[in-house]
């Protein structure tokens, strides 16, 4: 409605079903005259109640069941659950078994990061609706992307049996470990993948990035000896570095009306930022020399505060994942046993790993028969919801002059910076801009 | 003159996104598929939405909310062929475990403010709501089978998707039986083939991702499990996972409640 003359039109931008994200979400932006009134990221993904039906299940079932929270990052769930159960039972998986777990996680990072970089995020920068339309003008880039993604999936398949919901992961290790020969077949493709991943960093660093930096609280895992993927302390740039068993003391969940995914804030503060940019900010020094050099050439400092540049960070991490995968495959010695044997005991345990989009946290309590009494699982997208809303609150006011269609697309891009995975977070996207 | 390409749509209900991801995971075939069909509605991959009606709709996920129970009828009305893909869409999925419990209790375990949550008491397959032209099983589906179904529809023939047991494929591959040789309980004799015999090839028993085969003898299999030492609780849990509400699995599991 016109209120104070014809230029002050009410605007109500609605994206009812956010595309190129995994799962169901919407965005509702309310604008009155020149003021941004409200931004709501609505997650309407139907709840599936994992934490409820896990009660009464056997502890050994948790990896396979929780994998079904997300088809894009099953390893994050399988390994987080396994670590929590191993924590309870006092077992630590080390040596080559630990290396194999890191290898399959590199596969998941590669598959997920490449999917997001080329197929979900790059089309925004280049002005295409999707990667298939982009393929008409950039056939080589899309073909390379598909091959890169396939290598990530090959790692998952060789080690896990299949790329989605692998069947070979269990508490204590694996059902069967590969022979040296079975892993060696990956080497040639990994070498090609590394070169192409390096070219990817160079390609995405040429994109145009909006001038948008925020003072984020970055939370990631920190490990003394390596770029953290599956283990480490919980660290923040605003002053904590604690074991993951203290996660619930620092990251507080709350249930808000407009989302079936619980929101998270840091105790006494605002939302926080999980994912590649947080890992990069805390663990830059632990990247390989090649990855560090590429980041520098791409114009990234040791900390990147522009979420639109997360695409470069994701590309740098992809290079790292290829190098790690090559290292593990080339140094692999087949372990004597595929898994450590475990006996259940009553207690509570914690597991947190770096899913491609950020920390995925698990806490379980089991009884002495190994029956699950209580479960808590927090996905990275659920935690990032508040930060995404905060970003949009800062991002939109300077762009109110844009026509609705253009504003909508830029808002979508700002959301996709976080590679949101909505299926996981429910316990996500549609966009509405409401101009009043 | 090029013929008009058939329009393909992908729809999501309650699910993990894994089955529709299978289409994007067809790295070698994706551009060929995109050449043969017009991808008209696939929000996970594209922000471009082309209006229906659609020649083929792939439906992932189960119906768990009042809104979705209405939405599925709109999808059906807009679709010439409707294919449900994956264990959620064909059997209700892992979230159908609520069907054996009180969903209100589930809501209160997970959510601090249950009044914000709108959910149905049961998670149900697509076929309980609308006519389904073909059901593709699996948790997740096999991408080879997905390509076969799309190919069959494009060529106006019946999809070649076997309904025999995993056990049969396992024998064909010459794998040693994990039940006989290791004493590991396996659902292979009563589970539909299609995964490519993954679990026995990795030294574990089949856990039933593809749901019941065409004529399962659950009673005989479970008797064997019991001889091997499985108790009722283990049998119940094993039958109640990703296809817990598939008819034959559900019926057999009721005996061990």
């Amino acid at each position: 409605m016109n209120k104070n003359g014809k230029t002050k039109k009410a605007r109500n931008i609605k994206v009812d079903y956010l595309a190129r994200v995994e799962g169901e979400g919407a965005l509702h932006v309310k604008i009155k005259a020149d003021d941004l009134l409200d931004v709501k990221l609505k997650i309407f993904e139907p709840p599936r109640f994992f934490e409820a039906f896990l009660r009464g299940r056997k502890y050994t079932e948790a990896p396979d069941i929780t994998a079904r929270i997300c088809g894009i990052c099953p390893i994050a769930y399988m390994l987080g659950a396994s670590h929590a159960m191993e924590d309870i039972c006092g077992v630590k998986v080390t040596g080559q078994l630990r290396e194999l777990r890191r290898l399959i996680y590199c596969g998941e990072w590669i598959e997920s990061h490449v999917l997001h970089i080329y197929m979900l995020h790059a089309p925004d920068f280049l002005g295409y609706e999707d990667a298939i339309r982009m393929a008409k003008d950039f056939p080589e880039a899309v073909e390379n992307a598909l091959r890169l993604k396939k290598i990530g999936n090959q790692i998952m398949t060789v080690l896990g049996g299949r790329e989605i919901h692998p069947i070979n992961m269990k508490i204590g290790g694996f059902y069967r470990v590969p022979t040296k020969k079975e892993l060696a077949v990956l080497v040639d493709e990994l070498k090609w993948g590394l070169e192409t991943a390096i070219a990817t960093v160079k390609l995405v660093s040429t994109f145009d990035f909006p001038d948008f930096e925020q003072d984020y609280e970055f939370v990631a895992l920190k490990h003394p000896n390596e770029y953290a993927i599956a283990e480490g302390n919980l660290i923040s740039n605003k002053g904590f570095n604690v074991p993951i068993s203290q996660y619930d003391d620092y990251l507080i969940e709350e249930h808000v009306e407009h989302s079936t995914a619980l929101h998270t804030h840091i105790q006494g503060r605002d939302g926080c930022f999980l994912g590649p940019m947080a890992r990069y900010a805390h663990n830059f020094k632990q990247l390989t020399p090649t990855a560090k050099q590429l980041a520098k050439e791409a114009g990234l400092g040791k900390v990147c505060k522009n979420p639109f540049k997360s695409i470069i960070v994701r590309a740098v991490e992809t290079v790292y994942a290829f190098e790690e995968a090559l290292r593990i495959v080339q140094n692999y010695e087949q372990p004597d046993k595929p898994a450590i044997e475990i006996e259940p005991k009553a207690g509570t345990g914690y597991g947190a790993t770096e899913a491609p989009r950020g920390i995925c946290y698990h806490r379980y309590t089991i009884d002495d028969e190994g029956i699950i009494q209580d479960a808590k699982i927090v996905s990275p997208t659920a935690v990032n919801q508040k930060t995404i809303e905060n970003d949009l609150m800062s991002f939109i006011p300077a762009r109110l002059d844009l026509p609705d269609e253009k504003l909508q697309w830029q808002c979508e891009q700002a959301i996709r910076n976080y590679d949101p995975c909505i299926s996981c977070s429910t316990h996500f996207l549609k966009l509405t801009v409401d101009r009043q | 003159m090029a013929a008009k390409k058939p329009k393909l749509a992908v729809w999501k209900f309650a699910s993990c996104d894994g089955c529709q991801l299978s289409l994007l995971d067809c790295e070698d075939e994706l551009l060929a598929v995109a050449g043969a069909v017009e991808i008209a509605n696939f929000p996970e991959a594209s922000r471009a939405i082309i209006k229906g009606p659609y020649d083929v709709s792939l439906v992932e996920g189960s119906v768990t909310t009042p809104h979705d129970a209405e939405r599925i009828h709109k999808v059906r009305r807009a679709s010439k062929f409707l294919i449900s893909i994956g264990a959620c869409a064909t059997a209700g999925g892992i979230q159908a475990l609520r069907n054996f419990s009180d969903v209100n209790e589930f809501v209160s375990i997970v959510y601090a403010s249950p009044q914000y949550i709108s959910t149905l008491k049961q998670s149900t397959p697509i076929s309980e709501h609308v006519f389904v032209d073909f059901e593709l099983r699996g948790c997740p589906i096999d991408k080879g089978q997905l390509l076969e179904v799309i190919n069959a529809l494009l060529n106006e023939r019946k999809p070649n998707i076997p309904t025999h047991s995993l056990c049969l494929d396992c024998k064909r591959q010459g794998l040693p039986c994990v039940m006989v040789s290791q004493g590991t309980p396996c659902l292979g004799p009563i589970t539909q083939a299609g995964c490519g015999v993954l679990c026995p090839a990795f030294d574990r028993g089949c856990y039933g991702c593809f749901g019941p085969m065409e004529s399962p003898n659950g009673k005989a299999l479970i008797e064997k499990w019991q001889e091997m030492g499985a108790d009722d609780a283990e049998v119940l849990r094993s039958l109640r996972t990703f296809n817990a509400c598939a008819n034959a699995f559900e019926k057999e599991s009721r005996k061990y409640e």
Side-chain angles (χ1 to χ4, degrees), chain A residues 15 18-19 407-416 431, chain B residues 47:
Chain A
V15 179
L18 224 97
L407 180 61
Q408 177 182 328
W409 194 332
Q410 291 200 4
C411 288
E412 288 180 36
Q413 184 177 357
I415 296 167
R416 285 193 280 266
L431 177 63
Chain B
R47 67 191 300 276

Side-chain angles (χ1 to χ4, degrees), chain B residues 198-248:
Chain B
L198 295 174
C199 290
F202 280 82
D203 292 338
R204 82 179 276 197
C206 163
Y207 60 93
C209 297
F210 277 63
M213 53 87 80
E214 58 192 358
S215 52
N217 188 345
K219 183 170 172 283
L221 178 70
I222 301 305
E223 278 170 13
K224 185 77 196 158
W225 277 35
Q226 287 167 328
E227 279 172 35
M228 291 162 50
D231 62 23
D232 284 3
E234 184 183 347
V235 172
L236 185 65
R237 279 196 301 266
S238 300
L239 290 167
R240 287 193 182 163
T241 60
F242 315 105
N243 287 285
C245 286
N247 198 297

Side-chain angles (χ1 to χ4, degrees), chain A residues 20 68 130 149-150 423 427, chain B residues 17 25 28 43 46 111 139:
Chain A
R20 301 209 311 269
R68 268 69 183 182
D130 55 59
K149 189 164 111 41
K150 191 177 174 186
S423 301
H427 181 25
Chain B
D17 272 59
D25 276 353
D28 294 335
S46 178
Y111 293 98
C139 184

Side-chain angles (χ1 to χ4, degrees), chain A residues 184-232:
Chain A
V185 298
L186 294 168
V187 170
D188 288 347
E189 277 299 279
L190 285 172
K191 285 183 177 165
W192 177 88
L194 176 56
E195 291 310 311
T196 312
I198 289 171
T200 301
V201 178
K202 293 176 178 164
L203 172 73
V204 299
S205 66
T206 62
F207 291 169
D208 284 328
F209 298 98
D211 190 14
F212 182 79
E213 290 200 347
Q214 301 289 300
D215 179 28
Y216 294 113
E217 174 154 8
F218 288 122
V219 176
L221 295 179
K222 175 103 190 151
H223 189 276
N225 309 324
E226 63 194 11
Y227 195 82
I229 298 182
E231 291 169 40

